[in-house]
Amino acid sequence: MLRWMSATSLALSFAILPVASLAGDKAAAPAQAVSDAEADRRAARLVDAMTLEEQLQLLRPVAATSYQFAPGANSFPEGMRTPPPAGAISSAGYVPPIARLKWPAVQESDGPIGVANMKGWIRGIDDQATNFPSSIAWAASFDPALARRVGAVIGEEAHAKGFNVMLAGGVNLSRDPRGGRNFEYAGEDPLLAGRIAGATVAGIQSAKVVSTLKHYALNDQESGRGVLDARISEAGARESDLLAFEIALATGKPGSVMCSYNRVNGDHACESDWLLNKVLKKDWGFRGWVMSDWGGVHDMQKAVAAGLDQQSPQGKDLFAGLADAVKSGTVPRARIRDMAFRIVRSMIAAGAIDNPARAGRPIDRDAHLAVAQAQAEAGAVLLKNEGALPLEGVRRIVVIGGFADIGVLVGGGGSMVNPYGGIVNEENRIGMASLGKWAFVPSSPLAALKALRPDLEIAFDDGTDPARAAAAAGKADVAIVFALKQETENFDSADLSLPRGQDALIAAVAAANPRTAVVLETGNPVAMPWLGSVNAVLQAWYPGQRGGEAIAAILSGKVSPSGRLPISFPQSVAQLPRAKLDGYDPKATLFSPPPAPFAVDYHEGSDVGYRWFERTRAEPLFPFGFGLSYTKFEHKDLRVTGGKQLSVSFTVTNVGKREGTDVPQLYVAPPGRTHRLAGWERVTLKPGESRRVTVKADPWILSSYQDGGWRRAAGTYDVRVATSAKLDGLQASASLAAGGR
Ligand code: BGC
């Protein structure tokens, strides 16, 4: 049986907490349609009018997939072949309505990067939606306000398709650059990831759709995700992965949190009293409901006692035993009420009851696609440029490889969104991606560049023959190679290399033309053995439905790149806390049985990503926070204020010849600790323009978890205003008083 696998991932691989005083976060305003007090009152009335059976029904959504109708679906396991119940929009999960109480059906759709829908296998609704850039690109924009706009569009589309719960808001820290789902998350830093995910959640909920923060917690790799035990110290967890969740909860106020597949310090996340009852519900005051990941519950009694409120579809229906457990007194009746109350309350608070979602509402595609393009442009990171970009003073261009004539790559798994126009596979077939074939959204960078720059002579070579591609490059003023790597849920990468001989292709092209630019469509950092011989590198991630247009706008100079890396690019896996990825099996397929349980020792604690590089004094290939633009900026006149808070001000000047956006970053090191990102600002300036900028350190980031609580140690803090975690910039120190957060 394939019970450990996600319904969606299987399909796709075939084919209130205290509202935070988070300083400096413009996107922090939580989206809640109905006040806490009113939501409490109304939820109590409704839940108390429900029978026990009605309350129990809320706790166990049923699978709402229609795999059995899909071509080639015969190989789907038994449990996944039941037709979706009448009334269900075929998607991730469904709870029938309670008509006598005017309680609506709960319709869940996957996210987080658009209304995901199993590549067109849904029947009965318009199943295409805006395919946004992957979440890692949102993080790369360092722009929570933009992430919130993206979230609002996702929410609006979900609402217009009849969904009232989005499984969207991925905030697992990218602890390892081989992680197969990093593209669905928001990078390696808790403040950045938390603000971006929180803003997305707030955006989604602003459309009266509940949003779900996931996967709680420490589901930081895919290999063996159902059996691995993430071992980490309490302080290490609280200051890293849990902090990202805590910030996202405080800023976004999601109605729901999804617990993850893995174990944490011994217990399955969905059965961990420490994670659910203690940290999430008690310490953080979370008042929404905890849903399990699909098939993530193993022991009903333990899970319910630990704080799990809802068993999601897939796997054995363990919650079927709840009625008997109540009768026999092993699960208190009051606990069932609490579980149901949390669901009802969150739906009311988000406005999902007063503004019911209804399938078939019109969607303003063009407006939504414009937001997708804005996010793709803001998230692309220029890693190197010795003058090949932007394309100016040139006539003949050759575009090479990467299926740039077809579209841009997407990440695989449950998050995949069927874009307007449909998924295209590498054989240029519209429809489902098939096993082992790369999938694209139909947004061709080649076509977009031709449209934007009719003044250029643009040739295309598919890159399958490096010698032929090199010959074509030799005749061009600039060669642009597209290099791709597809990441997907369920699998990690063996290493950081580009597949399919693309390194050799780039090397051959660069040898033939020194003005070679490389565009990377990857969900993770990759190694660049050819870096020294190419002129320019643009990291475009999976840029979504308008990715081709965004890339063309940047290449041509219409848009100056402004993205910054949300994840460190190592030189090699030897620099990582674990050179070997535990549990990685190169032969694993979707049908392999799970490996024997194993532990992953997160001995680095909260020194994740750039903090690990600092601790080990290692030099990455490109540091966290790094990114170039088409102009240059200077920072000067740093002033620092300390005491109980920390704030810095400095002057940013655009000393180049074009308008551009700078992202100065504030890093702070508490005494004896590594530097942490404590704030940043996006500053757009015209050539010659200067601005005085103030960045307040987020007070949570100044504290460390110690002896069971958060403390800001008294002492001297090292303060940097820098353009990356390399900390090459202005330096000062600040004296801070002791305190909490
Ligand atoms: C994934 C979740 C997803 C769920 C429903 C799981 O396998 O881990 O992210 O929301 O399936 O499709």
Side-chain angles (χ1 to χ4, degrees), residues 4-10 12 65 67 91-93 108-112 116 118 166-168 181 184-185 212 214-215 219 222 225 258-261 291-295 312-314 413-415 489-490:
W4 61 90
M5 236 185 274
S6 131
T8 47
S9 36
L10 179 66
L12 291 165
T65 47
Y67 298 107
S91 193
E108 301 174 341
S109 169
D110 231 321
M118 308 178 197
M166 280 298 292
L167 311 176
R181 294 186 92 171
E184 288 187 54
Y185 302 142
T212 307
K214 66 186 189 183
H215 309 86
N219 185 175
E222 289 300 280
R225 67 181 183 179
M258 186 190 293
C259 50
S260 56
Y261 286 123
M291 67 166 77
S292 73
D293 202 340
W294 271 233
S312 299
Q314 204 174 315
S415 67
E489 180 183 348
N490 271 305

Side-chain angles (χ1 to χ4, degrees), residues 101-125:
L101 297 174
K102 297 195 172 60
W103 177 255
V106 176
Q107 309 266 13
E108 301 174 341
S109 169
D110 231 321
I113 46 193
V115 185
N117 54 17
M118 308 178 197
K119 289 193 234 152
W121 292 5
I122 293 180
R123 300 291 182 266
I125 57 163

